[in-house]
Amino acid sequence: MIETIKNIEIEVNNFEIINEQSLENFRLQFLSKKGKISELFEVFKTVSGEQKKEVGKTLNELRILADEKFNSFKVNFQSSQNKNSQEMDYSLPVNALQLGTEHPINKVKNEIISIFKTIGFSIAYGPEIEDEWHNFSSLNFAENHPARDMQDTFFVDKNPQGNFALRTHTSSVQIRLMEKEPVPIRSLMPGRVYRNEAVSARSNCFFHQIEGLYIDENVSFADLKQTLYYFVSQFFGEREIRFRPSYFPFTEPSAEMDIFLGTETEQDYRLTKGTGWLEILGCGMVDPNVLINCNIDPEKYTGFAFGMGIDRITMLKYGIKDIRQLFENDIRFLKQF
Ligand code: PHE
């Protein structure tokens, strides 16, 4: 047995390692599970008692020898590889750090805010995790309204003390404002909202809304129309607008507002499905029940509210075809704005 070990020791010493391939061959021949040294360890199991000590020692020495040879060559190859990669041309220009730009959604949001600021609207924010009262009940949603369903809403906590959900619209901020601010209220409420919807080019499970609320004595539908008309003229330029009757639990009457794009360009034709009209926002007179829920006297005060999707308007403004691009944070996309 000792003799076999010595022979293999000679083989190990004579094995010429000149490149990575021969290093690998060395490993396979001697060190791998089926290599010669492992085989010797198998044989070693059968060695009789009095020989065990000496054979074991010699065999261990062989293993250490082979290991060391393997490792020293491995390190050599690695460091020479690094050396190659270090041979760089230091005169080449560095990759410039890519700076971000203002996100198109923020750009559009700020533009909308600045238009409404000129006519006296302040800005208000609210929490993104809402209780059921602020997101639904106070806004006059019936107990069995489908929007309360798991289909549309991401509930974070359902328990007997109350349900909490990611807000499905910024209308919850209306309630928070009316609960704590004295009337008159004239405010704009931007924020991120969440709905349990399949993600596609046209809809995402989160997006951004901006909502407006005006409560005072003698606020009428004419004020709502004029305010929105002013906004459209500032943001889109002089355009025709129209109101279509609609339904929201928290406004009565309710309407959807369209702007006229026409059908001259292919894109306008596609966006308006050939009608020339494009829906921009939902709006209406605040339902008296909502005022009562916030301890505001509906006999004395009236108000209007409106809400629009910032993402949608951003897509319109810049001709973005896929909403997902807004959230991928690809610097090549973002740099265009
Ligand atoms: N909250 C409504 C929505 O999410 C929009 C809206 C706001 C409608 C205010 C009317 C008044 O679709």
Side-chain angles (χ1 to χ4, degrees):
M1 174 95 192
I2 300 268
E3 206 175 316
T4 325
I5 299 175
K6 288 288 172 198
N7 282 339
I8 294 186
E9 192 182 308
I10 294 168
E11 276 184 47
V12 167
N13 278 326
N14 289 346
F15 196 102
E16 250 188 289
I17 299 177
I18 45 164
N19 55 20
E20 271 176 283
Q21 185 55 49
S22 48
L23 178 69
E24 176 61 6
N25 288 342
F26 179 83
R27 189 187 69 80
L28 289 172
Q29 237 184 76
F30 299 105
L31 295 169
S32 67
K33 273 206 183 110
K34 289 188 179 141
K36 291 184 176 169
I37 296 179
S38 303
E39 267 173 26
L40 286 179
F41 273 98
E42 284 302 311
V43 182
F44 175 66
K45 285 179 188 161
T46 63
V47 170
S48 64
E50 68 263 27
Q51 281 194 312
K52 245 195 158 110
K53 198 171 166 201
E54 205 199 336
V55 175
K57 193 165 160 258
T58 327
L59 189 51
N60 261 332
E61 278 165 6
L62 171 65
R63 188 176 41 194
I64 292 168
L65 178 79
D67 270 344
E68 277 175 357
K69 181 162 178 163
F70 176 79
N71 286 331
S72 70
F73 276 95
K74 194 173 158 190
V75 170
N76 277 350
F77 286 134
Q78 272 172 350
S79 61
S80 69
Q81 242 177 24
N82 288 347
K83 219 162 124 202
N84 283 344
S85 63
Q86 273 166 15
E87 278 165 17
M88 284 196 294
D89 182 353
Y90 292 109
S91 66
L92 286 173
V94 292
N95 284 339
L97 200 62
Q98 304 244 0
L99 276 190
T101 50
E102 193 177 21
H103 195 282
I105 290 185
N106 270 336
K107 235 178 163 138
V108 168
K109 180 185 85 179
N110 290 334
E111 207 175 314
I112 298 173
I113 288 176
S114 68
I115 292 171
F116 280 100
K117 266 193 173 166
T118 61
I119 49 172
F121 279 75
S122 61
I123 313 299
Y125 297 94
E128 290 185 20
I129 296 179
E130 267 297 5
D131 51 60
E132 236 179 342
W133 168 256
H134 286 98
N135 198 73
F136 294 125
S137 312
S138 61
L139 287 158
N140 209 29
F141 277 78
E143 212 45 62
N144 54 1
H145 194 284
R148 291 183 186 237
D149 197 28
M150 297 292 280
Q151 288 289 300
D152 299 289
T153 307
F154 290 113
F155 283 98
V156 268
D157 198 6
K158 274 196 152 193
N159 61 51
Q161 282 82 49
N163 298 332
F164 290 86
L166 295 175
R167 67 178 175 198
T168 59
H169 52 184
T170 43
S171 305
S172 52
V173 190
Q174 280 187 37
I175 303 298
R176 291 191 173 269
L177 264 183
M178 289 190 279
E179 279 174 344
K180 67 172 204 291
E181 297 285 324
V183 186
I185 294 169
R186 188 158 45 183
S187 226
L188 215 55
M189 295 148 274
R192 188 175 273 201
V193 302
Y194 303 83
R195 288 184 198 173
N196 194 354
E197 273 169 26
V199 177
S200 71
R202 292 179 61 87
S203 69
N204 205 347
C205 53
F206 64 87
F207 52 98
H208 301 78
Q209 281 190 331
I210 195 159
E211 188 151 320
L213 176 72
Y214 179 29
I215 310 273
D216 203 348
E217 287 178 43
N218 300 319
V219 177
S220 72
F221 205 95
D223 297 313
L224 170 62
K225 268 177 130 169
Q226 202 54 43
T227 305
L228 292 178
Y229 183 67
Y230 172 74
F231 162 68
V232 170
S233 68
Q234 297 298 302
F235 191 89
F236 295 99
E238 287 297 329
R239 279 183 196 277
E240 265 184 84
I241 56 172
R242 75 175 184 192
F243 290 81
R244 281 178 294 107
S246 184
Y247 173 78
F248 299 103
F250 38 92
T251 47
E252 181 59 37
S254 306
E256 266 160 291
M257 189 188 81
D258 302 338
I259 61 171
F260 190 68
L261 291 184
T263 50
E264 266 156 47
T265 70
E266 206 182 307
Q267 194 189 3
D268 286 351
Y269 190 91
R270 189 173 48 78
L271 281 171
T272 64
K273 298 191 181 89
T275 65
W277 291 97
L278 185 71
E279 186 200 320
I280 291 294
L281 51 79
C283 59
M285 300 305 292
V286 178
D287 193 291
N289 283 342
V290 175
L291 296 175
I292 292 168
N293 285 338
C294 301
N295 290 322
I296 294 174
D297 181 1
E299 300 296 328
K300 190 165 174 207
Y301 297 107
T302 49
F304 66 71
F306 58 87
M308 58 190 131
I310 305 177
D311 316 56
R312 196 172 134 75
I313 293 189
T314 306
M315 289 169 77
L316 271 178
K317 178 164 174 155
Y318 295 113
I320 299 166
K321 294 208 175 75
D322 190 325
I323 192 171
R324 290 168 291 196
Q325 286 190 301
L326 291 171
F327 306 113
E328 277 166 2
N329 277 341
D330 186 332
I331 201 109
R332 292 166 302 179
F333 170 78
L334 295 175
K335 266 201 328 214
Q336 298 173 71
F337 303 97

